[in-house]
Amino acid sequence: MIEYIKGELTELTPAMAVVEAHGVGYAMNISLNTYSAIQGKKEVKLYAYEAIREDAHTLYGFVNKKERELFLLLITVSGVGPNTARMVLSSLSPSELCNSISTGNERMIKGVKGIGLKTAQRIIVDLKDKIVALGIADEIPVGGSMQVAVNNLVKDEAVSALTMLGFSPAPSQKVVVDILKQKPDAPVEEVVKLALKQIK
């Protein structure tokens, strides 16, 4: 099993990071939390999880072990696969997720795209004790988000991220444009987070 990949960050979108180590570029699916934390960095160390299926080997990358532990806990819940777990970690920070689970806040978890009431309740029931044993996650420090003068760049990156997460480009673009009209200075990760709450 790959524990982590450390190397040069050669490509970064809100949904994926490419880390080059010893001449090999590893494409790693990431959450918005990880995206925020590594934005603007040249060298990164991402903790890895490898999802192996018959038709695909997919790498997921995490800025720290705490986020990976939460991801691994989430995918033990019936009905939560790796992509849904990444969606949860993109919509809620680790501390928000831990607090929602420990306080039984199913409404907060149900607000994540693709999570219904039953799954939200299962996440709370299955993980409540495990979260306590783990210790409440600290908020991941957000790296300085790079403000981009041209909003089209933010719009394109946000729409691209939402498309990679499985949403259709047309409705994604509409929601992203609406958000940028209200918050013209919002960085990409904020736009995507807001869009995740609005696209149903």
Side-chain angles (χ1 to χ4, degrees):
M1 181 184 153
I2 299 170
E3 171 63 11
Y4 62 81
I5 295 173
K6 184 178 181 181
E8 184 187 351
L9 182 64
T10 57
E11 282 180 51
L12 181 65
T13 72
M16 182 173 284
V18 177
V19 182
E20 185 178 325
H22 305 294
V24 179
Y26 296 91
M28 305 179 82
N29 288 307
I30 58 171
S31 72
L32 279 177
N33 282 307
T34 292
Y35 172 76
S36 299
I38 65 175
Q39 210 180 20
K41 293 189 177 176
K42 285 192 165 50
E43 296 280 321
V44 295
K45 175 181 177 181
L46 292 180
Y47 291 91
Y49 169 75
E50 200 171 0
I52 298 174
R53 299 200 321 259
E54 280 181 27
D55 58 342
H57 286 212
T58 309
L59 276 175
Y60 291 83
F62 307 92
V63 72
N64 56 29
K65 285 185 175 180
K66 191 75 89 174
E67 190 187 21
R68 184 175 64 180
E69 282 170 8
L70 281 171
F71 177 88
L72 293 173
L73 285 177
L74 283 166
I75 60 175
T76 64
V77 177
S78 171
V80 178
N83 276 328
T84 304
R86 176 173 69 153
M87 187 75 81
V88 172
L89 290 167
S90 289
S91 302
L92 304 171
S93 71
S95 60
E96 283 173 338
L97 177 59
C98 286
N99 288 334
S100 298
I101 292 169
S102 60
T103 58
N105 187 347
E106 58 194 37
R107 191 177 58 80
M108 184 85 142
I109 298 170
K110 196 168 78 73
V112 176
K113 167 74 183 167
I115 300 278
L117 181 59
K118 281 210 167 82
T119 306
Q121 289 168 339
R122 260 202 306 271
I123 289 172
I124 290 165
V125 170
D126 289 6
L127 302 187
K128 204 166 193 174
D129 292 341
K130 294 176 185 173
I131 290 290
V132 172
L134 189 70
I136 293 295
D138 300 319
E139 185 75 64
I140 287 183
V142 172
S145 59
M146 291 154 60
Q147 292 285 352
V148 181
V150 185
N151 271 336
N152 272 343
L153 191 53
V154 174
K155 183 191 80 177
D156 292 346
E157 274 207 38
V159 172
S160 158
L162 290 162
T163 308
M164 284 170 108
L165 288 167
F167 298 101
S168 304
S172 299
Q173 180 142 334
K174 184 177 179 304
V175 170
V176 166
V177 169
D178 286 346
I179 290 165
L180 284 171
K181 278 181 189 164
Q182 293 163 23
K183 296 191 165 192
D185 296 330
V188 176
E189 64 269 25
E190 187 184 338
V191 173
V192 176
K193 266 193 177 177
L194 290 167
L196 285 174
K197 287 177 179 153
Q198 291 179 33
I199 301 176
K200 287 295 172 192

